Amino acid sequence: MAAEVGTARLVAVVALAAALAVAAVVVLAGVRGPGPQAQHAQQAAPGERGRPAPASAGTRPSGTGTIALDWGDLDRTPARAIARGDYVVIQAWEHARLRALHRANPALRVLMYKDVSAVVRRPHESGVFATGLGYAEARRGGWLLTDARGRRLEWSDWPGLFPVDVGDRGYQDAWAANVLAELRRHPWDGVMLDDTLTGLSHPTVGGRVSVQIPTDAAMYRATSSFLARVGPRLRRAGHLAVPNVTVEWDTWRSTLRAWTRHVSGWENEYFVKWGLGREPRFGAADWRWKVRMAAWCARRRVPLLAVTYGSGRDRATQVYHRATWLLTWNGVTGAGIYVPQEPSASHRQPAANQPLGRPAGPDRVVAGGLHRRAYTRGTVVVNPTGRTRTTRVAGEAVRLAPRTARIVRQGPRGWGPKG
């Protein structure tokens, strides 16, 4: 499935950059390689990590977050900007930034990135892997996937990533031990587990099929076993476990029902569109199932990190992303996260992070199939249909083209401009 590719792309960049250690910077698919080696930070006090910090007047939940995994992302997006959100996902070697992030917002949940289903040959220049363990350790443990002729598998969509047997208990224990050791060295709140696969969504070099996990059903069972063993272990240690899960319109409900008890929350990519650029925004059925999944999580207070990739210059998609997220947000848990793809862009785009205060009513479907919801500081209106629609907000006509949204803010002097 395509739902893992966005963040897995970043692991591939890191892996290949590490393999080319003689170069200071590498470029792959328009994304730069790793940044400076991270410095050591003091270990956090036991029991503080993974628990939601009390919200003060300055740290009230915003329903926003940041994913900053590529070289330079954190330099272009300073701690004070990231701290306006509720969650941030960064690479493990960026641990020297943790204390500044927590000082800026004590309620901010800072998650370490780690891949679940693959390994790489070499670590980042700091010696830290973007995966739970390295290729050599996986080979010694016998956890690399192989075909019937004993040949090891490699993902063809992300060369340099070698899939592993996530259903093997030995691999699960090694992954958990390594990641917990890293979490305990520094004041992390938890880990984002990428490539939490429900099927064989990555093609392999030569079309090889493993004997260990040969089918989609086998992949689902292996991931289920991994989460059931590793998720509670991370949580018992006081850390958040937030997998990036691959689901579709017909699998999300059964998967989340079965697996949520093992984890702290979920990440799901491509919230309002596929791809990394200016692809068409979702409407109709694709939009509806994503919104229903977000609503399911919100009702149960299960944090969802709903991620959209796109251009930093695509304001219409940023507003559509933000407004769609605000239709179901419970005012407390989860975040809508917009990730711009330009190397020069800040990862806190204003249009994708507009503040509207707290929910002041439910999502309502109005004439023409528009969705609208009131907040304490404004109203969001979303048009997921294929036709232009018009509605009224605070006595003003609001016209929405197909698959667009408006955020109408209300300030102390009345209603402000539309987003």
Side-chain angles (χ1 to χ4, degrees):
M1 300 176 191
E4 287 295 323
V5 175
T7 310
R9 176 181 63 85
L10 303 170
V11 178
V13 171
V14 171
L16 294 176
L20 298 173
V22 295
V25 175
V26 299
V27 177
L28 176 65
V31 181
R32 296 185 180 181
Q37 180 174 341
Q39 299 176 4
H40 182 73
Q42 267 187 315
Q43 183 175 349
E48 292 182 349
R49 301 174 298 266
R51 294 192 324 191
S56 68
T59 58
R60 199 178 296 278
S62 65
T64 66
T66 305
I67 292 178
L69 299 175
D70 287 348
W71 180 85
D73 285 352
L74 292 173
D75 296 324
R76 292 187 299 275
T77 314
R80 65 181 180 275
I82 294 172
R84 299 188 188 109
D86 306 322
Y87 297 85
V88 59
V89 182
I90 62 178
Q91 296 284 9
W93 47 82
E94 299 284 5
H95 54 74
R97 303 179 189 258
L98 297 181
R99 294 194 180 281
L101 290 168
H102 283 131
R103 280 196 302 269
N105 180 0
L108 181 67
R109 279 74 157 180
V110 187
L111 305 181
M112 172 196 298
Y113 176 97
K114 288 292 179 182
D115 197 276
V116 166
S117 297
V119 295
V120 294
R121 289 187 181 275
R122 297 190 184 186
H124 177 257
E125 60 189 29
S126 64
V128 177
F129 284 96
T131 53
L133 54 152
Y135 182 95
E137 185 178 358
R139 182 183 59 191
R140 289 194 300 271
W143 303 316
L144 294 168
L145 295 186
T146 56
D147 67 8
R149 296 171 57 184
R151 297 175 298 181
R152 297 187 180 105
L153 272 62
E154 179 181 1
W155 286 343
S156 59
D157 51 350
W158 303 117
L161 275 81
F162 300 88
V164 292
D165 186 358
V166 299
D168 185 282
R169 180 166 291 192
Y171 173 78
Q172 296 166 2
D173 289 344
W175 194 99
N178 290 352
V179 172
L180 278 170
E182 291 187 52
L183 289 169
R184 288 165 176 156
R185 288 190 195 106
H186 308 289
W188 296 97
D189 294 295
V191 58
M192 193 278 279
L193 301 84
D194 196 18
D195 281 313
T196 308
L197 305 177
T198 56
L200 297 174
S201 51
H202 291 286
T204 61
V205 173
R208 295 174 184 173
V209 177
S210 79
V211 295
Q212 298 93 339
I213 305 178
T215 65
D216 287 338
M219 185 76 250
Y220 185 96
R221 290 193 298 270
T223 299
S224 182
S225 171
F226 181 95
L227 291 178
R229 187 166 180 84
V230 174
R233 186 171 172 183
L234 294 170
R235 296 171 69 192
R236 285 194 300 269
H239 298 285
L240 298 172
V242 182
N244 184 11
V245 66
T246 57
V247 287
E248 297 292 344
W249 69 271
D250 57 345
T251 62
W252 72 263
R253 194 182 301 271
S254 60
T255 300
L256 267 57
R257 280 176 174 168
W259 291 356
T260 294
R261 66 181 182 273
H262 304 310
V263 301
S264 309
W266 297 104
E267 178 183 312
N268 183 250
E269 296 176 292
Y270 309 112
F271 186 51
V272 299
K273 61 180 269 308
W274 295 118
L276 309 176
R278 290 179 175 267
E279 295 82 4
R281 294 179 286 274
F282 292 152
D286 283 335
W287 184 86
R288 284 195 298 271
W289 81 257
K290 289 282 190 174
V291 170
R292 287 168 181 164
M293 180 177 65
W296 187 95
C297 290
R299 286 194 300 271
R300 292 160 177 79
R301 296 287 181 105
V302 175
L304 173 67
L305 307 185
V307 181
T308 297
Y309 300 96
S311 171
R313 295 182 289 271
D314 188 353
R315 179 180 172 83
T317 294
Q318 294 175 34
V319 173
Y320 196 66
H321 163 85
R322 178 62 171 158
T324 296
W325 168 255
L326 289 174
L327 287 177
T328 64
W329 186 46
N330 59 23
V332 180
T333 60
I337 302 177
Y338 188 89
V339 183
Q341 293 308 295
E342 292 86 356
S344 60
S346 165
H347 281 236
R348 289 286 298 182
Q349 294 291 310
N353 295 283
Q354 298 181 59
L356 272 193
R358 310 285 287 177
D363 169 24
R364 295 191 298 115
V365 183
V366 297
L370 297 177
H371 288 249
R372 64 183 290 168
R373 191 182 189 193
Y375 272 73
T376 55
R377 293 167 57 188
T379 297
V380 297
V381 186
V382 181
N383 179 13
T385 76
R387 300 184 65 180
T388 298
R389 305 294 188 189
T390 301
T391 190
R392 301 189 71 82
V393 178
E396 179 184 356
V398 177
R399 188 171 184 269
L400 294 96
R403 294 176 295 281
T404 62
R406 292 290 186 274
I407 298 175
V408 184
R409 296 183 296 276
Q410 182 182 23
R413 297 185 180 179
W415 292 89
K418 298 181 287 292

